[in-house]
Amino acid sequence: MFDEIRFNKIDRLPKYVFAQVNELKMAERRAGADVIDFSMGNPDGPAFKPVIDKLIESAQKPHTHGYSASKGIYKLRLAICKWYLRKYNVVLDPDREAVATMGSKEGYVHLVQAITNPGDTAIVPDPTYPIHSYAFILAGGNVQKMELTFNEQNFEVDEDKFIEDLEYALKNSQPKPKYLVVNFPHNPTTATVTLDFYKRLVEIAKRERFYIISDIAYADITFDGYKTPSILQVEGAKDVAVESFTLSKSYNMAGWRVGFIVGNPKLVGALQKIKSWLDYGMFTPIQVAATVALDEYENLVDEIVIPKYKKRRDVMIEAFKNAGWELGKPSSSMFIWAKIPEIARDMGSLEFSKDLLLKAQVAVSPGIGFGKYGDEYVRIALIENEKRIRQAAKNIKHYLAELKKQKQDGESK
């Protein structure tokens, strides 16, 4: 009898593509293989020492161990607003326009839960970070996918094409979309946009009456002179937009689960309200340490984190090129969005990722896991050191040579 009971919400979720690669990776490691892992955007360094010290100091105070504030302690919300003022010259109200979240992913999902009515439609570019789509599906909404077009050498978004496709989707979707999700620097593609792009989006959102949810999780990690803009820099953007950020990447605090959402007071208020029902906020010492990170140690991002990822990017591009795999050069984030080598492209991203893992001992994320327009690509995270990157390139060079030989032998038979 119980086998007949269905969980419709869960049934709408597909099998997690990345789980297949993870299972293979763990099996290989259990068998003794030395897998070089580029599959997950999990920073390999610790949080900054002064931030850890502040966590310890705060945790030793008995009063910090009780329930905290679901929307974040005031000092953290104030630090968030001061960060925006320094970085973007954007003024925010810490009470009405900012909420601290347990990482940006939790904040995003709870925001979508709070603001989505059954049947609401969101436009989400494809490929995309999976939760950007599935949060709406879990909330009973619908998703209209739109292909993200960008330059494959420098990963700049074709902004005119994006606006053209958006206008088309707005006119031809039923029901009319209520939300647009943007994520730049983009995960997985690393694609970037200009401030003018956001000006055009805000103008369209006001005219067509929809909200914009902007995720700038990788805003801090930029190279070669590129600086990430914020949609909130646009005059009047707070009328139609919210934006999320996380300390996970640029502050090496992924496991701490600290993020925030700021902007439109109606949407932020909805998130604050739903969080008041669902949680009691982060452990207070984590919030205290996060406050110090934002207020006092932003400089360490520039001095420690960005140079590390830039060096790894440059080493990987050179080493993989020598191995026979040409990569584009992103100006942001901790990933490289790599087109599958032509000789292996017919395999598709999932089978290629599996084959690469089993035969070259290199783990990457299959592009199909980010959407149908990602199937000719894999995402490579810059989370291994330079020595390991060069070893991966050697393994890949041997793998591609063997693959070429197999295909030549097959054609000659």
Side-chain angles (χ1 to χ4, degrees):
M1 180 181 70
F2 283 98
D3 289 341
E4 298 172 1
I5 297 173
R6 308 297 303 174
F7 304 118
N8 294 342
K9 187 179 291 186
I10 298 302
D11 287 344
R12 294 185 72 187
L13 295 176
K15 179 176 174 61
Y16 208 51
V17 170
F18 307 114
Q20 298 182 50
V21 176
N22 286 337
E23 288 165 8
L24 272 181
K25 179 175 66 181
M26 296 312 298
E28 286 294 291
R29 282 178 167 167
R30 283 194 293 270
D34 178 24
V35 176
I36 303 172
D37 189 4
F38 302 119
S39 64
M40 187 176 179
N42 192 11
D44 60 318
F48 305 138
K49 187 177 184 304
V51 178
I52 297 172
D53 291 343
K54 178 57 69 172
L55 171 72
I56 294 169
E57 176 190 317
S58 180
Q60 289 173 336
K61 297 176 180 178
H63 73 274
T64 63
H65 289 256
Y67 292 128
S68 192
S70 60
K71 65 181 180 180
I73 61 175
Y74 178 76
K75 285 188 177 180
L76 176 54
R77 286 183 281 117
L78 184 61
I80 291 163
C81 296
K82 287 158 63 179
W83 184 85
Y84 259 91
L85 186 61
R86 287 193 310 273
K87 195 174 184 71
Y88 295 118
N89 199 32
V90 170
V91 176
L92 293 165
D93 181 337
D95 290 318
R96 298 176 57 250
E97 298 175 336
V99 54
T101 60
M102 298 176 191
S104 59
K105 188 174 185 179
E106 174 269 324
Y108 177 84
V109 172
H110 280 160
L111 173 68
V112 171
Q113 290 281 338
I115 65 177
T116 303
N117 300 326
D120 280 351
T121 296
I123 297 175
V124 181
D126 183 327
T128 188
Y129 184 52
I131 199 61
H132 285 161
S133 289
Y134 286 103
F136 285 97
I137 291 170
L138 287 167
N142 301 308
V143 173
Q144 174 71 42
K145 290 292 186 72
M146 188 178 85
E147 183 179 6
L148 180 65
T149 306
F150 55 91
N151 183 307
E152 294 192 1
Q153 294 306 308
N154 61 18
F155 299 97
E156 293 176 356
V157 169
D158 185 336
E159 297 179 5
D160 290 337
K161 182 72 163 57
F162 188 103
I163 296 297
E164 179 185 323
D165 291 346
L166 174 61
E167 296 271 22
Y168 180 87
L170 290 167
K171 288 188 176 94
N172 293 279
S173 298
Q174 291 295 332
K176 186 174 180 179
K178 191 173 177 180
Y179 304 104
L180 167 68
V181 178
V182 289
N183 164 218
F184 301 110
H186 188 250
N187 182 11
T189 71
T190 78
T192 58
V193 295
T194 64
L195 182 58
D196 184 64
F197 171 78
Y198 287 134
K199 291 176 182 176
R200 297 166 75 183
L201 282 191
V202 169
E203 180 184 342
I204 297 169
K206 289 186 174 185
R207 185 187 76 222
E208 299 292 339
R209 299 180 62 80
F210 62 85
Y211 286 113
I212 302 166
I213 304 173
S214 169
D215 174 6
I216 58 168
Y218 297 91
D220 279 348
I221 305 174
T222 59
F223 321 112
D224 307 329
Y226 178 76
K227 297 296 180 186
T228 302
S230 163
I231 195 170
L232 298 180
Q233 290 175 276
V234 178
E235 185 176 353
K238 284 193 285 186
D239 295 337
V240 295
V242 289
E243 194 159 69
S244 65
F245 183 74
T246 176
L247 278 71
S248 293
K249 312 301 183 180
S250 46
Y251 288 83
N252 288 344
M253 293 168 66
W256 296 49
R257 310 312 304 133
V258 186
F260 50 82
I261 290 182
V262 299
N264 180 271
K266 184 176 181 179
L267 299 190
V268 168
L271 176 56
Q272 289 178 346
K273 186 170 183 178
I274 200 170
K275 282 178 66 64
S276 73
W277 282 89
L278 295 176
D279 69 67
Y280 288 107
M282 292 169 275
F283 184 40
T284 297
I286 288 178
Q287 297 191 60
V288 171
T291 300
V292 169
L294 290 171
D295 276 344
E296 300 179 26
Y297 297 105
E298 188 178 1
N299 64 300
L300 296 182
V301 175
D302 294 333
E303 295 170 15
I304 298 173
V305 178
I306 294 174
K308 176 177 73 173
Y309 288 126
K310 183 179 185 299
K311 180 65 172 176
R312 290 178 180 180
R313 178 202 66 173
D314 294 344
V315 168
M316 181 173 285
I317 289 171
E318 180 184 8
F320 278 39
K321 180 180 180 180
N322 293 336
W325 192 353
E326 292 270 0
L327 307 176
K329 189 175 184 180
S331 60
S332 64
S333 90
M334 56 188 290
F335 303 113
I336 291 181
W337 185 240
K339 200 156 197 175
I340 297 170
E342 188 173 352
I343 195 170
R345 206 166 294 159
D346 60 338
M347 298 168 65
S349 61
L350 180 57
E351 290 309 311
F352 172 72
S353 297
K354 291 178 179 179
D355 208 45
L356 192 68
L357 176 58
L358 293 173
K359 295 177 181 176
Q361 307 294 285
V362 174
V364 296
S365 291
I368 190 64
F370 301 98
K372 68 177 183 178
Y373 292 111
D375 201 23
E376 290 190 342
Y377 302 83
V378 294
R379 192 192 70 178
I380 308 174
L382 301 170
I383 55 171
E384 294 272 15
N385 63 40
E386 294 149 38
K387 182 179 178 182
R388 299 278 284 170
I389 289 170
R390 290 190 176 97
Q391 181 59 54
K394 291 178 183 177
N395 295 2
I396 289 167
K397 184 175 184 177
H398 180 72
Y399 165 76
L400 292 176
E402 285 294 310
L403 192 60
K404 183 178 180 180
K405 183 175 182 298
Q406 288 173 17
K407 294 206 169 188
Q408 288 174 339
D409 290 345
E411 290 169 1
S412 64
K413 289 180 180 178

